[in-house]
Amino acid sequence: MDTDYDVIVLGTGLTECVLSGLLSVEGKKVLHMDRNDYYGAESASLNLTQFFGKFRPGQKAPENLGRDRDWSIDLIPKFMMANGEIVRFLTHTDVTRYLEFKQIAGSYVYSGGRVSKVPANGSEALSSPLMGIFEKRRMRNFLLWVEGYKEQDPSTHQGLDVDRNTMTEVFKKFGLASGTQEFIGHAMALHLDDSYLSQPARDTVEKVRLYAASVLRYGKSPYIYPLYGLGDLPQAFARLSAVYGGTYMLNTDAKELVYNDQGQVTGVKANDEIVHAKMVICDPSYVPSKVKKVGSVVRAICLLTHAIPSTNDSDSCQIVIPQSQVKRQHDIYIACVSDAHMVCPKGFYLAIVSTIVETSNPADEIKEGLKLLGPIYDMFIHESPLEVPIDDGKEDHVYISRSYDATSHFETVCDDVHDIWRRITGEPLVLKKRENGEGVNTA
């Protein structure tokens, strides 16, 4: 085995695989290792045997669940915004040639005790049950302003400056009620909490535009999802890395990192052999002493035999339960997929409910989400730590990703990729549009 590399990457989670692929394309010599015998690490998709082995060791999966290979269960479910950053990663690297996608049928929000479709444009706002007749017009005016806002054309600004005015001031300008503000901020702009209200409006305006543009791309909802589960995403980036000379070693545990006298990493010890590199990229589980826990995520992976009620019998959907609707500090997210996405046998659905833990009884915190699912065939609840790096890696050249959060979309994962890239190179990651192969294949 070669023992000298530019970069060693530990863990085949999506963040690590994206960076591995991008660095390989840039001409870096990359070695990628994972202690598991499958790709994906925490963001893997498991078959039935692997899944029961992880959550119910020693227990065999019931025969009535069907064949092992018909299941591909995401440990951390996330959807892709059709015009979002993750799609730009895919098209920038041409990884789309390894994948096929299907649209998520609906995007919903829980408000006023019921589940309703999130309006994405002016006409949908006018027909939405979320608002009264006058509020619908105000919402429509807001969305038209967002769509029409042009930096260089003051006539489109309506007296607002997105860099100076806060989002609270923008909402006030359009006279939007608190419930309307809530689903704009949480179900369209996908903010994790309400801190965005006191910040300049630009970020929220751009996120609402992204949501609306993503809906326009395929209709129905802004989200798409890879056939056969999210585990194919890291594998696709791993293929990209391999095409550009990257080396992959599964089932290989990195016992320890090796440092020089100045405290800079010089390599990794694995299989009683030291492999040298100028830098290491890894997930938090490989360097527990270099990360701190900032919270936990609780997830319930539920097997259903029916569509989620109030979603128009959708084969898939996202539901956001804003924090204030259930008197919490964090939103609850529900992501549902089905046999239409080749992740379970016909007649089954996979619904995952997740949120940030706030109490000593995590399972109790997702009950409001579980109530929306209807009868549950089987359920697997687990808690994962939310860990972040203590240092930025510029001193020791160890660059650590963040744990995957409770959100059911990829925007925060992409933020982490951009952040690590900037820490490594000192420059922003520029994703160029490709002339050929722009877009993704949807079934």
Side-chain angles (χ1 to χ4, degrees):
M1 184 175 101
D2 200 341
T3 57
D4 286 293
Y5 293 85
D6 294 318
V7 188
I8 295 175
V9 183
L10 304 177
T12 53
L14 181 60
T15 308
E16 288 73 33
C17 285
V18 171
L19 287 163
S20 172
L22 291 172
L23 289 165
S24 296
V25 171
E26 292 286 316
K28 301 293 184 189
K29 187 178 177 185
V30 177
L31 172 65
H32 205 143
M33 292 190 274
D34 195 309
R35 62 171 71 93
N36 299 305
D37 60 359
Y38 53 81
Y39 286 96
E42 286 301 302
S43 53
S45 301
L46 305 182
N47 63 34
L48 212 50
T49 300
Q50 292 170 328
F51 185 71
F52 270 78
K54 182 174 178 66
F55 292 107
R56 293 180 186 164
Q59 183 178 331
K60 285 187 70 174
E63 287 186 10
N64 57 359
L65 289 180
R67 297 179 302 184
D68 206 39
R69 66 175 183 270
D70 289 339
W71 292 86
S72 185
I73 305 170
D74 295 333
L75 296 180
I76 296 175
K78 288 185 183 288
F79 295 152
M80 302 165 60
M81 197 76 83
N83 272 19
E85 196 68 0
I86 186 69
V87 172
R88 292 181 66 217
F89 284 154
L90 292 167
T91 52
H92 167 74
T93 54
D94 211 18
V95 163
T96 47
R97 61 186 157 172
Y98 305 125
L99 299 161
E100 190 171 2
F101 297 84
K102 187 171 177 64
Q103 189 182 20
I104 295 301
S107 175
Y108 296 84
V109 63
Y110 178 79
S111 182
R114 64 179 175 182
V115 174
S116 303
K117 188 177 187 300
V118 179
N121 53 46
S123 58
E124 282 194 4
L126 289 176
S127 60
S128 172
L130 284 165
M131 301 163 284
I133 186 165
F134 295 113
E135 185 68 3
K136 286 177 180 179
R137 293 191 179 280
R138 290 190 284 267
M139 172 68 173
R140 179 176 179 272
N141 290 338
F142 167 77
L143 289 175
L144 289 173
W145 171 76
V146 167
E147 289 170 27
Y149 191 97
K150 292 185 177 63
E151 204 82 39
Q152 310 304 325
D153 185 358
S155 68
T156 66
H157 297 181
Q158 296 191 31
L160 292 167
D161 183 334
V162 293
D163 290 318
R164 293 178 61 184
N165 291 110
T166 65
M167 207 56 216
T168 295
E169 292 167 339
V170 171
F171 285 146
K172 187 176 179 181
K173 162 85 174 176
F174 288 94
L176 294 172
S178 59
T180 309
Q181 295 179 27
E182 187 175 72
F183 74 72
I184 290 171
H186 292 264
M188 295 181 76
L190 302 172
H191 288 298
L192 306 179
D193 53 42
D194 283 338
S195 61
Y196 77 94
L197 289 167
S198 58
Q199 294 167 359
R202 178 179 291 278
D203 182 47
T204 301
V205 168
E206 288 179 351
K207 285 179 174 177
V208 172
R209 285 174 100 147
L210 169 63
Y211 186 98
S214 295
V215 172
L216 279 176
R217 188 157 187 174
Y218 299 114
K220 290 197 294 189
S221 99
Y223 301 110
I224 56 176
Y225 178 86
L227 293 182
Y228 305 104
L230 294 178
D232 272 14
L233 280 178
Q235 277 198 67
F237 281 101
R239 282 187 190 175
L240 173 73
S241 179
V243 166
Y244 284 87
T247 303
Y248 274 75
M249 296 176 66
L250 296 181
N251 221 3
T252 306
D253 199 5
K255 299 294 183 196
E256 61 179 291
L257 272 57
V258 182
Y259 299 86
N260 62 18
D261 294 339
Q262 287 75 46
Q264 297 168 330
V265 75
T266 58
V268 170
K269 187 173 184 182
N271 295 344
D272 298 321
E273 188 176 0
I274 294 177
V275 188
H276 299 283
K278 303 177 183 73
M279 71 175 82
V280 170
I281 299 169
C282 61
D283 71 47
S285 69
Y286 286 88
V287 283
S289 64
K290 290 180 176 288
V291 296
K292 61 182 177 183
K293 184 180 175 184
V294 294
S296 297
V297 179
V298 58
R299 295 183 178 91
I301 301 175
C302 304
L303 276 53
L304 309 178
T305 54
H306 56 83
I308 295 178
S310 303
T311 62
N312 201 26
D313 281 332
S314 296
D315 60 24
S316 52
C317 66
Q318 173 185 259
I319 305 173
V320 177
I321 305 176
Q323 54 193 58
S324 65
Q325 293 291 323
V326 285
K327 296 180 172 58
R328 288 178 47 78
Q329 296 165 33
H330 299 88
D331 296 352
I332 299 173
Y333 296 88
I334 300 172
C336 179
V337 287
S338 67
D339 63 280
H341 305 85
M342 308 295 197
V343 294
C344 55
K346 194 165 182 58
F348 282 97
Y349 295 74
L350 286 169
I352 296 90
V353 184
S354 52
T355 192
I356 303 287
V357 174
E358 296 175 5
T359 70
S360 57
N361 187 5
D364 201 45
E365 297 188 46
I366 49 176
K367 66 180 182 184
E368 295 299 328
L370 296 174
K371 282 180 188 174
L372 300 181
L373 302 185
I376 296 171
Y377 185 86
D378 203 350
M379 179 166 60
F380 304 77
I381 297 179
H382 67 291
E383 188 180 346
S384 306
L386 267 178
E387 294 172 322
V388 299
I390 296 170
D391 299 311
D392 61 13
K394 291 176 183 175
E395 294 292 324
D396 59 7
H397 302 162
V398 178
Y399 301 95
I400 307 163
S401 62
R402 305 168 70 93
S403 303
Y404 299 102
D405 62 20
T407 59
S408 55
H409 54 81
F410 276 109
E411 300 309 296
T412 51
V413 176
C414 296
D415 290 344
D416 198 25
V417 171
H418 277 285
D419 180 50
I420 295 172
W421 183 272
R422 191 178 291 108
R423 282 188 270 147
I424 290 172
T425 66
E427 298 174 354
L429 173 58
V430 179
L431 297 174
K432 307 175 190 71
K433 282 194 175 181
R434 286 182 167 259
E435 295 302 318
N436 300 317
E438 181 68 24
V440 297
N441 307 312
T442 51

